[in-house]
Amino acid sequence: MPILFDKEKQVFKLDTSSSSYIMRIYKENYLCHLYYGAKIPDYNLTDHIFKGGFASFCPENINIPGAGFSPGVCTFEFPGENTGDFRESAVSIRNADGNNATDFRYAGHIIYSGKKPIDGMPSLYSESPEDCETLEIEMIDSFTGIKAVLYYTVFEKLSAMTRRVAIVNPTDKSVKIERIYSLCCDFNTRQFDMISLYGRWLKERTVQRQPLFVGTQSVGSKRGSSGHYRNPFGAIVGHDTTEDYGDAYGFNLVYSSNFKFNVEVDGHGGARVLMGINPDTFNWQLNPGDSFDAPEAVMVYSANGLGEMSRTFHRLYLNHLIRGKYKHVKRPVLINNWEATGMNFTGEKLLTFAQRAKELGLDMLVMDDGWFGARDDDTSSLGDWVVNEEKLGCTLKEFTHKVHQIGLKFGIWFEPEMISRDSDLYRAHPDWCVHVPGREKSIARHQYVLDYSRKDVRDHIYSMIKKILSENEIDYVKWDFNRNLSEAGSALLSNENQQEVFHRCVLGTYDIMNRLTTDFPDILLENCSGGGGRFDPAMLYYSPQIWCSDNTDPIERLSIQFGTSLCYPASTMGAHVSASKRAGYETKGNVALWGTFGYELDPNKFTDEEKEIVKEQIKEYHKYYDLIHYGDLYRLIDPLESGYKAAWMFVDEEKTQALFTCVVIKLYEDLVFYLKLKGLDKDAYYRCSQNGEVYSGALLMNAGLNLSDYPNTDGESFKLFFEKIS
Ligand code: DGJ
């Protein structure tokens, strides 16, 4: 079993196929962290409790005489506030007396097979009890009587764990949770680099790496959304860690609102990693008898660099996060009208898209923004989810019927969390948006965010969406979210609960997504937020794919898709061929193939030659679908690092097939450029379907390919497919 408890030594050991996580109940019931890293067979780590007798100015526990035990220098699982540990705490609770001294100690534990869901929140799941094992540790602050439950679930085969925390108030007094991180991981060294993903609209998830410095380094969001600017992902890696070598610890939060990934290096040389709800914008009143669940965090360890870390995240998410029909069913190749028409379309025009798309072999037409209310531009109608029949030239039922008759599936766009200032809904209910009563509301894209902390608001919006989805034949929904929250307040919440708005709103979003996916299990849901502004694991729990970026330029997409792939699988990345001009259709197709694949242009404008390319691309999509969607990704040349080329490959689990893709960004300085492939079976022989030659896996991985033999001009690209023959 992956979770061991040594009663005598009071040690917990959580093993996966390649990692060990070890903690110990120390004197006075402190829950101390001892080790996280490459798998080790034993756990004789008693000397790893850092006594810190010389930790000047650090308070000691008076009941541990002689040991010099200072909370300020020890490594902990769930460190509290204002009780002698001066680093950022994992938890801070303001008790009924008004102070925030918080000190949770071990009180008991249980171990069981499988994993429990979190009520009302997304989390990873087990398909069978053998998939994982869970340790629940009960902690108590004996002074206030407040309890905490720490959940550790070990996915043994995958070198991955999930962590979360629930706070329970069994007392008769209300308290305030002022900080609640979902995971704390105390390392006893600071010899690491920190990796995070930053960006903005059109430039999401760019990789950033820098050595840890003494002090606090963090990334987070205060936007009410995970956001374009930082992703709820962070990694701690050795200074010498590369794609294929060295320690890599990856952390990802299953949450779509304000988060923080916080790494603090203290003066004693340790590094504390915290991940969870951003405490800067959070405060939660916990009344007697109530409990609060913090979102789940995922931890992945790789001893073989970032590549293996990513592949572990991908497998974990494909098997234990993504759900529903389209977990296994092939996703339709769609054409979306947004980049071609904006809101300036008619039903007739879209039917020509559908007709052309069908001729080319595509599967689905998606009607984007502009089909409802009086929405001809972005100034109005969000919240008025009533079909504009004048624009469509018929009812939606008739329109979807026509699309289906052409032989395509039909998808539709919504932005369910928003309300336009110019909308019937806003005129009727000006207090239904997130706002501070009496204070001017900031506007963005002419819209406000609906107050999803309110059930009446959610019920109203969902009833409109449900009506449209029930009365029409709809196969796909694109769920958009085009602004962040400001003046976060709610007309219904009491003063004590106002700081709960951000969290309550995201719980409201999860509620509607849950209703939608439960009521319409056959609908494919794709998330979107001005491109990839809400690309996080929580959204993947509801929608198996997320529009990766509004930037569809294939060269720009390279760094976006490379960054996204650090923890998110190819099958989750919405990637389309567009009319962008920086590269030809071949390269646009090759880049979009690394994703859910589709088109975002006017198909009436294709030349005959382009039509043939598209037909070929659709064939390739089908041919390589399993390999890309379920295979292992190997990043070979990082476009940001190299500046000249990008290259990657997918290899199936049995190592019988491999697809290699290379995109030329600009001419390489040296004429000679050999590239070693990865992930193949060194003892097998592969035929390259492009030139018919046979190579051993060992040759391809050691001698490599001579890239100078292939296209080398800016914007050109090529693919090579290898199939095992012996
Ligand atoms: C932002 C999305 O990213 C686009 O794809 C498109 O759906 C627009 N919103 C529509 O307003």
Side-chain angles (χ1 to χ4, degrees):
M1 295 308 267
I3 300 178
L4 172 148
F5 178 60
D6 183 326
K7 202 168 174 192
E8 194 191 325
K9 298 200 165 71
Q10 298 280 287
V11 168
F12 293 102
K13 186 162 187 274
L14 283 55
D15 279 342
T16 71
S17 51
S18 55
S19 68
S20 294
Y21 188 100
I22 304 173
M23 48 194 158
R24 178 185 178 193
I25 307 159
Y26 191 57
K27 293 174 186 170
E28 292 281 292
N29 287 330
Y30 283 105
L31 186 61
C32 295
H33 177 81
L34 295 182
Y35 175 77
Y36 183 34
K39 191 165 183 170
I40 50 179
D42 47 355
Y43 46 90
N44 186 7
L45 291 162
T46 37
D47 60 345
H48 277 232
I49 295 281
F50 185 42
K51 311 277 180 345
F54 56 87
S56 50
F57 284 69
C58 283
E60 291 177 24
N61 184 321
I62 198 167
N63 299 318
I64 310 181
F69 180 86
S70 302
V73 292
C74 195
T75 48
F76 287 118
E77 287 300 310
F78 195 50
E81 183 73 17
N82 191 13
T83 43
D85 181 346
F86 300 102
R87 294 160 290 184
E88 176 107 341
S89 62
V91 57
S92 176
I93 294 181
R94 195 159 296 274
N95 63 38
D97 303 335
N99 71 72
N100 67 350
T102 310
D103 188 0
F104 283 100
R105 310 278 181 91
Y106 170 86
H109 74 271
I110 52 170
I111 296 171
Y112 52 88
S113 303
K115 183 174 190 298
K116 294 177 189 165
I118 315 176
D119 198 20
M121 271 210 281
S123 61
L124 276 71
Y125 60 87
S126 59
E127 278 192 318
S128 75
E130 294 79 53
D131 286 344
C132 55
E133 196 172 38
T134 300
L135 164 67
E136 277 183 28
I137 302 181
E138 187 175 277
M139 308 282 287
I140 187 160
D141 182 326
S142 57
F143 183 77
T144 60
I146 301 296
K147 289 182 177 171
V149 185
L150 312 184
Y151 294 80
Y152 300 79
T153 296
V154 182
F155 289 87
E156 190 182 6
K157 292 189 197 120
L158 285 164
S159 197
M161 285 168 47
T162 57
R163 300 264 300 266
R164 69 181 182 94
V165 181
I167 305 286
V168 185
N169 182 359
T171 75
D172 56 4
K173 294 181 182 126
S174 294
V175 297
K176 284 254 181 194
I177 306 172
E178 295 189 329
R179 179 179 309 147
I180 174 77
Y181 281 105
S182 301
L183 80 79
C184 171
C185 191
D186 263 343
F187 291 94
N188 55 15
T189 169
R190 64 171 165 115
Q191 296 310 321
F192 289 121
D193 289 352
M194 170 170 152
I195 294 178
S196 58
L197 298 172
Y198 73 96
R200 57 176 163 76
W201 180 58
L202 301 180
K203 193 102 190 104
E204 297 89 338
R205 292 171 298 286
T206 310
V207 180
Q208 166 174 258
R209 177 172 179 167
Q210 75 287 317
L212 293 185
F213 57 82
V214 176
T216 299
Q217 41 251 282
S218 68
V219 290
S221 161
K222 298 204 284 184
R223 302 174 161 270
S225 141
S226 42
H228 295 84
Y229 291 78
R230 322 258 192 276
N231 192 268
F233 164 82
I236 295 298
V237 304
H239 295 311
D240 54 358
T241 293
T242 64
E243 191 65 19
D244 305 300
Y245 169 85
D247 287 325
Y249 301 85
F251 305 91
N252 203 190
L253 192 66
V254 188
Y255 195 53
S256 317
S257 186
N258 302 344
F259 72 92
K260 199 170 211 177
F261 176 65
N262 197 83
V263 184
E264 181 175 358
V265 175
D266 63 26
H268 300 100
R272 170 169 293 172
V273 173
L274 295 161
M275 184 172 247
I277 296 178
N278 191 337
D280 297 350
T281 52
F282 174 82
N283 208 310
W284 193 272
Q285 166 139 326
L286 198 66
N287 293 323
D290 282 358
S291 64
F292 177 85
D293 286 304
E296 185 162 87
V298 181
M299 301 168 74
V300 164
Y301 169 74
S302 155
N304 301 306
L306 289 163
E308 189 175 292
M309 178 199 77
S310 299
R311 288 186 289 280
T312 303
F313 270 114
H314 299 171
R315 292 231 159 276
L316 185 70
Y317 289 173
L318 289 177
N319 293 313
H320 301 290
L321 178 64
I322 286 156
R323 305 172 305 152
K325 173 175 162 180
Y326 284 97
K327 175 172 176 172
H328 298 299
V329 169
K330 194 187 271 184
R331 316 271 175 84
V333 179
L334 66 87
I335 181 154
N336 179 306
N337 68 302
W338 177 250
E339 285 195 21
T341 66
M343 297 179 213
N344 183 18
F345 61 85
T346 58
E348 205 182 327
K349 172 123 197 166
L350 293 190
L351 288 174
T352 68
F353 280 39
Q355 193 58 55
R356 294 294 89 70
K358 179 65 191 167
E359 287 156 15
L360 295 168
L362 277 71
D363 304 310
M364 180 159 74
L365 172 77
V366 175
M367 177 169 68
D368 210 281
D369 194 355
W371 56 267
F372 53 92
R375 190 153 166 102
D376 290 324
D377 58 32
D378 63 13
T379 58
S380 82
S381 303
L382 295 171
D384 298 343
W385 299 110
V386 178
V387 181
N388 183 342
E389 294 181 357
E390 206 181 311
K391 200 172 203 172
L392 281 190
C394 57
T395 65
L396 184 58
K397 201 175 182 70
E398 285 159 350
F399 184 72
T400 55
H401 189 64
K402 286 180 197 169
V403 175
H404 283 134
Q405 267 188 331
I406 290 173
L408 289 195
K409 291 178 187 292
F410 176 73
I412 196 167
W413 179 98
F414 284 99
E415 197 174 356
E417 294 147 281
M418 297 292 162
I419 178 168
S420 295
R421 191 180 166 81
D422 178 7
S423 65
D424 293 341
L425 188 69
Y426 187 73
R427 280 182 281 276
H429 300 286
D431 64 333
W432 273 19
C433 61
V434 168
H435 70 290
V436 173
R439 182 180 279 275
E440 197 164 286
K441 301 186 271 280
S442 308
I443 199 139
R445 212 192 187 205
H446 311 280
Q447 66 199 54
Y448 301 121
V449 182
L450 279 167
D451 181 358
Y452 263 27
S453 71
R454 295 175 57 153
K455 187 166 179 304
D456 55 347
V457 174
R458 300 200 303 272
D459 287 349
H460 176 85
I461 295 294
Y462 186 63
S463 70
M464 295 183 99
I465 294 175
K466 187 173 179 178
K467 187 168 166 13
I468 287 176
L469 298 183
S470 318
E471 290 176 356
N472 301 286
E473 298 163 41
I474 292 174
D475 306 290
Y476 161 108
V477 166
K478 177 173 171 185
W479 179 309
D480 211 342
F481 179 87
N482 282 305
R483 69 157 287 182
N484 291 138
L485 281 65
S486 59
E487 295 86 30
S490 169
L492 284 198
L493 289 174
S494 67
N495 294 358
E496 288 73 38
N497 301 112
Q498 282 295 331
Q499 283 175 288
E500 300 169 6
V501 170
F502 283 113
H503 187 63
R504 287 187 184 275
C505 276
V506 80
L507 292 182
T509 299
Y510 296 149
D511 170 38
I512 299 300
M513 287 192 178
N514 188 45
R515 292 196 219 180
L516 196 156
T517 49
T518 308
D519 291 345
F520 303 98
D522 288 336
I523 285 184
L524 171 59
L525 181 63
E526 172 153 4
N527 253 281
C528 171
S529 170
R534 206 161 56 173
F535 209 119
D536 60 55
M539 287 293 135
L540 289 177
Y541 181 75
Y542 301 102
S543 60
Q545 58 194 57
I546 301 177
W547 182 225
C548 207
S549 176
D550 275 346
N551 194 335
T552 51
D553 175 301
I555 306 300
E556 290 293 322
R557 265 296 179 113
L558 292 172
S559 58
I560 296 172
Q561 292 180 191
F562 260 77
T564 305
S565 78
L566 267 192
C567 60
Y568 305 108
S571 69
T572 65
M573 293 190 218
H576 297 170
V577 173
S578 74
S580 83
K581 294 270 184 289
R582 258 173 91 196
Y585 276 98
E586 184 151 4
T587 295
K588 293 193 263 194
N590 285 341
V591 175
L593 212 49
W594 177 2
T596 58
F597 202 71
Y599 291 82
E600 188 101 9
L601 38 67
D602 183 345
N604 297 299
K605 293 187 177 157
F606 282 138
T607 62
D608 286 345
E609 194 194 335
E610 286 164 354
K611 282 184 197 160
E612 293 313 307
I613 296 176
V614 171
K615 284 183 191 163
E616 199 47 43
Q617 285 173 344
I618 306 293
K619 278 191 206 144
E620 288 183 338
Y621 168 78
H622 291 293
K623 178 171 178 193
Y624 301 132
Y625 186 89
D626 284 355
L627 186 50
I628 293 170
H629 280 238
Y630 308 117
D632 282 325
L633 169 75
Y634 291 85
R635 292 178 293 254
L636 303 178
I637 309 177
D638 179 327
L640 273 186
E641 241 172 66
S642 98
Y644 297 97
K645 280 187 168 69
W648 63 94
M649 61 192 284
F650 287 96
V651 183
D652 71 330
E653 226 176 335
E654 294 74 36
K655 298 185 185 297
T656 58
Q657 294 190 337
L659 178 69
F660 166 82
T661 309
C662 179
V663 179
V664 181
I665 299 170
K666 61 180 186 183
L667 198 60
Y668 191 59
E669 276 168 19
D670 297 333
L671 281 179
V672 188
F673 195 144
Y674 291 89
L675 181 68
K676 296 177 183 180
L677 302 194
K678 295 179 188 172
L680 301 171
D681 176 353
K682 69 175 173 36
D683 298 322
Y685 281 83
Y686 297 86
R687 187 184 312 278
C688 173
S689 67
Q690 275 70 13
N691 63 11
E693 296 288 335
V694 173
Y695 310 95
S696 68
L699 181 151
L700 292 168
M701 293 195 292
N702 292 299
L705 292 171
N706 181 358
L707 292 193
S708 357
D709 282 352
Y710 295 95
N712 243 331
T713 311
D714 302 8
E716 280 189 316
S717 65
F718 62 97
K719 293 192 294 297
L720 300 175
F721 178 58
F722 297 92
E723 216 159 0
K724 183 172 164 178
I725 51 164
S726 63

